[in-house]
Amino acid sequence: MKTVRLSTADEILEELPQLGREADYVVADGPGSNTEISRSLLFCADLALVPCKASMLEVRALDQATKALRHVRHVRKGRPTAIIVLSMVGKHYRLTKDMKDAAAALKLPLAKSALTLKQIYADAPGQGAVVWRLGARGREAALEVQAVFREALSHIEVKSVRKKVKRASA
């Protein structure tokens, strides 16, 4: 696994496509705000995971947070695929239903997998690590992350198969 830090929008637009040609998957993490860096990542992405906490403030802010995504999808004719992922949620929050309604209004799917509220997610970056490298303390969080990525990748693979079938039948 290779780790690269790209700090500017120009670096992302210049270097991320090459990284994509060198690897099966490239995972890029960026600011959640509507910034030039966020837009650059969206212009290079096949899939965008939109993390969102289950709170009324997040429900109200979700439309604004996806504004850049809508603009990029318009320019790129529907790409990248996007999925809302609940993060820092309790296992049985009532607000999960509110998030499902907000996602439906934005015409974005809501992942079935979620990242529950765990201290390990806050601790990992401070230790310069990822949860799956933190042993037993990170095991449950690592399983959650794997479930999110498995689900997200299934959205990409299904779209790829549909495109191939569509081309073959044309």
Side-chain angles (χ1 to χ4, degrees):
M1 178 168 59
K2 178 179 181 179
T3 303
V4 176
R5 182 181 179 138
L6 305 176
S7 302
T8 68
D10 287 338
E11 285 178 349
I12 291 165
L13 291 170
E14 291 167 9
E15 297 181 37
L16 205 56
Q18 179 59 37
L19 291 170
R21 288 188 288 276
E22 296 170 3
D24 292 334
Y25 298 102
V26 174
V27 177
D29 187 14
S33 57
N34 188 356
T35 66
E36 190 176 357
I37 289 175
S38 298
R39 288 174 193 252
S40 297
L41 287 169
L42 291 171
F43 270 106
C44 295
D46 293 319
L47 172 68
L49 301 180
V50 182
C52 192
K53 299 173 194 165
S55 78
M56 283 310 295
L57 293 174
E58 292 284 332
V59 170
R60 292 181 185 134
L62 189 58
D63 182 57
Q64 181 62 31
T66 59
K67 183 181 270 187
L69 174 64
R70 287 193 307 270
H71 292 165
V72 170
R73 290 178 86 183
H74 175 75
V75 171
R76 294 186 63 203
K77 303 194 179 357
R79 292 184 72 197
T81 298
I83 304 165
I84 296 172
V85 177
L86 291 180
S87 66
M88 297 180 13
V89 297
K91 290 194 185 236
H92 304 288
Y93 276 19
R94 183 186 109 35
L95 284 171
T96 301
K97 184 193 178 314
D98 295 335
M99 293 307 299
K100 287 180 182 175
D101 295 342
L106 291 170
K107 298 182 176 133
L108 292 175
L110 178 66
K112 292 178 183 88
S113 306
L115 303 177
T116 57
L117 185 58
K118 290 181 180 26
Q119 183 63 39
I120 196 78
Y121 288 122
D123 292 346
Q127 296 178 31
V130 289
V131 292
W132 52 87
R133 291 202 175 146
L134 292 176
R137 287 187 332 120
R139 189 167 292 125
E140 190 177 337
L143 292 173
E144 287 180 350
V145 172
Q146 288 172 359
V148 166
F149 274 92
R150 232 181 273 111
E151 183 178 347
L153 291 175
S154 73
H155 282 271
I156 292 287
E157 291 164 5
V158 167
K159 278 195 163 191
S160 294
V161 168
R162 284 187 191 145
K163 282 183 182 177
K164 288 177 185 174
V165 168
K166 196 174 188 179
R167 284 187 205 136
S169 63

